């Protein structure tokens, strides 16, 4: 049964100013496509998610490349995205998503790149991602992995820059007040495209080989992962500051992409039997209901 959240509070202040200090990118070889100009990053955006057959991705990629720039960090087939999600014993954040609460959130630690290279000094992001009505808000801070574990697993305040303290205190409050702990891990290979000019706020991501696990939550652990979304399907997200341009929604329609209400975190929770499978779960026998475009069939 879903937990009682009648005492839940409203959304925290997501409009606080952000420091503008510069950041050295000389050692940044992969990932971090949304790296902020400071180590505290916040933004609001609208998101639309789709499922599509993986064999149709080359057609989508070709069309996106005509209008958008490839993410500079995704050279050579994209980059890995690995996340550890925190939740309560009764999966409060999971149920908030399933029930479609207008205000909901989740806490995660995320690494961009090859997980086999993760060590104590690797840069990771501690993130609070929340939904307020139709707008997605994300706030995050970059930390060395050992400090992220001190914060989220040991619930200790860590060394930080002055502008980060309010956010870190909010993370600690969530961890302690709700007794959060690691619940699920997800990983996938991402290709990203970004808008230019008048569409500078536009971002399209294509995620494939979506995997997960329900134990061994060290990001660098040599642990087994299993597919939580069938390999034949890709998750495509359209993200925009104000609105998704018509040409992009028209392209989605032309490629028979199916709008879905899907959460990779919820998918992982359900795939490993932590909660009953919801009506939004993508099972192994789900073909997404979308035929493969002829152009994609010819390239497959």
């Amino acid at each position: 049964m879903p937990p009682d959240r009648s005492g839940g509070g409203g959304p925290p202040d997501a409009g606080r100013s952000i420091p503008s200090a510069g950041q050295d990118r000389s050692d940044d070889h992969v990932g971090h496509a949304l790296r902020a100009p400071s180590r505290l990053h916040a933004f609001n955006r609208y998101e639309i998610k789709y499922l599509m057959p993986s064999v149709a991705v080359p057609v989508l990629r070709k069309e996106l490349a005509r209008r958008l720039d490839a993410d500079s960090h995704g050279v050579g087939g994209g980059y890995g995205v690995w996340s550890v999600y925190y939740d309560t014993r009764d999966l409060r954040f999971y149920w908030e998503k399933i029930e479609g609460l207008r205000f909901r959130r989740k806490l995660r630690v995320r690494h961009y790149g090859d997980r086999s290279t993760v060590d104590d000094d690797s840069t990771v992001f501690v993130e609070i991602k929340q939904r307020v009505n139709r707008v997605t808000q994300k706030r995050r801070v970059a930390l060395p992995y050992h400090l992220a574990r001190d914060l989220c697993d040991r619930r200790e305040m860590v060394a930080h820059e002055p502008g980060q303290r309010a956010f870190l205190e909010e993370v600690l409050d969530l961890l302690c007040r709700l007794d959060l702990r690691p619940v699920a891990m997800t990983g996938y290979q991402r290709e990203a495209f970004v808008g230019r000019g008048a569409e500078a706020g536009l971002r399209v991501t294509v995620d494939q080989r979506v995997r997960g696990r329900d134990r061994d939550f060290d990001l660098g652990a040599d642990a087994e992962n299993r597919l939580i979304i069938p390999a034949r399907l890709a998750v495509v997200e359209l993200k925009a500051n104000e609105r998704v341009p018509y040409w992009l929604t028209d392209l989605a329609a032309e490629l028979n992409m199916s709008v879905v209400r899907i959460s990779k975190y919820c998918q992982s929770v359900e795939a490993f039997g932590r909660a009953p499978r919801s009506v939004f779960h993508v099972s192994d026998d789900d073909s997404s209901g979308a035929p493969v475009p002829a152009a994609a069939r010819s390239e497959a």
Side-chain angles (χ1 to χ4, degrees), residues 42-213:
F43 53 89
N44 299 344
R45 64 190 179 196
Y46 296 94
E47 297 182 353
I48 306 175
K49 292 183 181 180
Y50 297 86
L51 276 180
M52 69 180 303
S54 295
V55 294
V57 167
V59 178
L60 175 64
R61 182 188 299 121
K62 180 178 179 180
E63 292 300 318
L64 293 176
R66 293 177 54 236
R67 291 178 174 263
L68 305 176
D69 294 329
D71 177 1
S72 61
H73 298 94
V75 177
Y79 50 88
V81 182
W82 296 91
S83 304
V84 176
Y85 288 87
Y86 290 72
D87 209 334
T88 64
R89 290 183 184 275
D90 57 5
L91 302 179
R92 170 178 177 151
F93 297 161
Y94 165 85
W95 286 109
E96 287 179 349
K97 167 64 177 178
I98 295 300
E99 295 173 358
L101 268 62
R102 290 190 174 186
F103 170 69
R104 58 183 184 267
R105 58 189 164 185
K106 52 193 171 190
L107 173 68
R108 67 191 178 199
V109 176
R110 171 166 285 190
H111 172 71
Y112 295 89
D114 184 350
R115 69 184 177 95
S116 68
T117 65
V118 174
D119 58 26
D120 282 351
D121 296 320
S122 297
T123 298
V124 301
F125 292 88
V126 177
E127 301 183 345
I128 294 177
K129 184 176 181 180
Q130 60 195 36
R131 179 84 170 223
V132 181
N133 294 322
R134 296 177 58 202
V135 179
T136 299
Q137 301 176 339
K138 186 194 290 186
R139 289 167 296 136
R140 68 185 186 180
V141 64
L143 293 172
Y145 188 31
H146 70 94
L147 290 185
R149 292 201 306 271
D150 287 345
L151 176 70
C152 295
D153 296 335
R154 300 178 183 89
R155 304 178 186 180
E156 300 172 356
M157 180 57 73
V158 297
H160 58 275
E161 297 174 4
Q164 298 173 344
R165 185 165 189 89
F167 176 76
L168 294 179
E169 288 178 342
E170 183 181 342
V171 170
L172 276 176
D173 174 69
L174 281 175
L175 287 162
C176 296
R177 179 166 50 85
L178 300 180
D179 190 24
L180 303 181
R181 74 281 314 285
V183 167
M185 185 168 173
T186 64
Y188 40 89
Q189 193 70 8
R190 166 166 286 181
E191 293 180 78
F193 299 84
V194 294
R196 53 179 178 259
E199 296 179 344
L202 178 65
R203 181 174 173 81
V204 181
T205 58
V206 183
D207 299 333
Q208 299 187 79
R209 296 177 58 231
V210 183
R211 292 150 285 166
R213 64 178 185 257

Side-chain angles (χ1 to χ4, degrees), residues 235-249:
V235 180
V236 180
E237 297 185 44
L238 315 183
K239 310 170 187 183
N241 292 343
E242 296 182 359
R243 65 174 182 84
V244 175
Y246 291 120
W247 69 264
L248 191 49
T249 53

